[in-house]
Amino acid sequence: MNNIAILCSGGDVSGMNPALKHFVEYTKQNNLTPYFIYDGYEGLIDNKIQEASYKDVSGIITRGGTKIRSARSKRFKEKKYRQIAKDNLDAKGIDSLVILGGDGSFAGMDIFYKEHKIKFCGIPSTIDNDIYGTEYCLGVDTALNIIKTSIDAIRDTASSFGRAFIVETMGRECGYLALVSALTSGAELCLIPEKEVALKEYEDDFKTQIKNGRSYFLSIIAEGAKHSSSELKEWFEQSIGIESRVTVLGHVQRGGNPSIYDRLMAYKFINYAIDALIMGKDESVICYTNKGFVYKSIQEVVSQKYALDTKLLAYL
Ligand code: F6P
């Protein structure tokens, strides 16, 4: 193994740029030649593969997103395009890949490995934190900090104006961002896909709180929750009798200056990923667990569905 490439696939996260920087540093320390594949699997098919240098990564540690861009590729699901991708790698003598992405991206890579024996190591990267087998995915801490700053700001106006605010977080089918944000921001209500809530059960309590002097509410709702943000707004206004506003945080959660934790995790994930490939591990995902970093097989990671930590869920 001499030539090793990295690509980003799926939703970008803050922490990818620090990972790219350390990828160049750590490959060179190990006498390997680093390559960047631009635009994810799309770029692999379109031969957007370039040798990377220190110059390419200078100054990027502070930037969110990914310098080599990311994409979701439909074409990579087709065998004929995977063959083109393999030919492109062969032409540059690359036989090992590091993939920053989610489980969908890893599943695509697994097929590619089985067909063409291109070795890879996956680094879990998604703000949703919904990959089976790892307790942490790159980008989550930065996203949580952005949500925290937003909720803290919303609290200022909510308390000044006496309103109920509904803050909607991302996460697809996973309520991790919403749950952790609600617990750490002191929200009165949290709705996530993993736990069904009958709003009626909160009515008496919330009305009593208003009688006792509460003037505003903060509620956090995950985008995949059963109730929508507008339904929750309606409920606050009709059933609780308090004026209400919705803030959908949207893609601001995906960007921004990478937190210290994400910079450090990017560094460690990259070390473990490159070490795995040097050690001859062909198709693994580097997972962060309560026992530290462990390599898991791609089968284990993609064949099971992530479930929220039951202890965390119990705090709701
Ligand atoms: O998977 C990351 C994520 O940001 C989800 O939280 C969200 O549902 C989705 O991607 C948004 O996708 P897009 O950027 O294509 O709108």
Side-chain angles (χ1 to χ4, degrees):
M1 182 178 91
N2 284 317
N3 298 346
I4 177 168
I6 191 166
L7 64 79
C8 301
S9 174
D12 51 278
V13 306
S14 201
M16 282 175 164
N17 274 332
L20 296 177
K21 175 175 162 54
H22 191 53
F23 173 79
V24 171
E25 292 161 353
Y26 197 60
T27 44
K28 284 182 179 286
Q29 276 168 31
N30 283 282
N31 298 317
L32 302 168
T33 307
Y35 282 82
F36 282 163
I37 300 170
Y38 291 80
D39 297 315
Y41 293 125
E42 286 290 289
L44 187 52
I45 296 164
D46 295 334
N47 205 15
K48 295 184 186 167
I49 307 170
Q50 281 168 22
E51 191 177 331
S53 67
Y54 288 120
K55 193 164 165 262
D56 291 315
V57 293
S58 123
I60 69 171
I61 202 164
T62 61
R63 283 164 41 196
T66 158
K67 180 166 186 184
I68 61 173
R69 300 185 298 273
S70 188
R72 295 191 181 103
S73 175
K74 285 200 179 111
R75 287 190 298 164
F76 198 66
K77 292 182 178 150
E78 290 182 49
K79 200 176 169 70
K80 66 175 179 188
Y81 289 111
R82 290 195 297 270
Q83 181 61 56
I84 296 172
K86 158 75 172 151
D87 295 343
N88 290 338
L89 289 173
D90 281 352
K92 297 217 159 46
I94 299 167
D95 65 358
S96 304
L97 295 179
V98 174
I99 310 291
L100 294 160
D103 48 4
S105 311
F106 299 157
M109 198 56 219
D110 189 39
I111 300 170
F112 193 49
Y113 169 79
K114 287 194 175 105
E115 275 170 8
H116 298 294
K117 295 287 163 268
I118 295 288
K119 292 176 275 184
F120 74 96
C121 187
I123 295 180
S125 311
T126 166
I127 63 162
D128 303 342
N129 211 28
D130 63 348
I131 300 180
Y132 180 83
T134 188
E135 285 177 23
Y136 190 75
C137 299
L138 196 63
V140 171
D141 186 63
T142 306
L144 284 172
N145 276 295
I146 287 174
I147 298 169
K148 180 204 73 173
T149 305
S150 309
I151 298 173
D152 289 353
I154 282 169
R155 182 186 286 280
D156 293 342
T157 173
S159 60
S160 305
F161 228 89
R163 284 168 166 165
F165 264 85
I166 291 122
V167 181
E168 184 180 306
T169 62
M170 276 187 166
R172 275 186 210 279
E173 300 306 313
C174 180
Y176 184 85
L177 290 178
L179 175 57
V180 172
S181 300
L183 294 175
T184 53
S185 300
E188 282 69 47
L189 185 62
C190 175
L191 302 186
I192 57 174
E194 290 84 350
K195 190 162 178 174
E196 286 216 359
V197 158
L199 290 176
K200 216 164 177 24
E201 286 172 14
Y202 289 84
E203 277 180 25
D204 288 346
D205 179 36
F206 279 19
K207 283 180 183 161
T208 309
Q209 288 193 43
I210 291 175
K211 267 195 205 122
N212 292 339
R214 173 177 284 289
S215 62
Y216 71 97
F217 289 90
L218 288 178
S219 47
I220 315 300
I221 181 167
E223 64 177 347
K226 187 174 144 270
H227 292 283
S228 68
S229 296
S230 52
E231 281 167 6
L232 192 54
K233 177 184 190 298
E234 258 327 271
W235 177 77
F236 267 114
E237 297 200 327
Q238 303 305 322
S239 305
I240 308 299
I242 180 166
E243 193 181 26
S244 173
R245 292 286 185 273
V246 174
T247 300
V248 179
L249 295 180
H251 288 79
V252 293
Q253 295 160 95
R254 285 241 297 259
N257 178 274
S259 69
I260 289 292
Y261 190 70
D262 273 323
R263 293 182 197 195
L264 189 61
M265 287 302 274
Y267 194 96
K268 292 179 180 177
F269 271 129
I270 285 290
N271 274 14
Y272 276 94
I274 293 171
D275 287 348
L277 293 165
I278 292 172
M279 285 185 297
K281 288 185 187 295
D282 281 4
E283 41 158 0
S284 59
V285 176
I286 173 68
C287 295
Y288 186 67
T289 71
N290 56 10
K291 295 189 181 69
F293 288 94
V294 290
Y295 297 108
K296 296 198 176 174
S297 74
I298 188 80
Q299 260 73 29
E300 183 179 353
V301 173
V302 300
S303 63
Q304 296 177 69
K305 208 173 155 10
Y306 173 85
L308 262 188
D309 177 4
T310 48
K311 283 191 190 131
L312 203 56
L313 203 50
Y315 291 134
L316 251 194

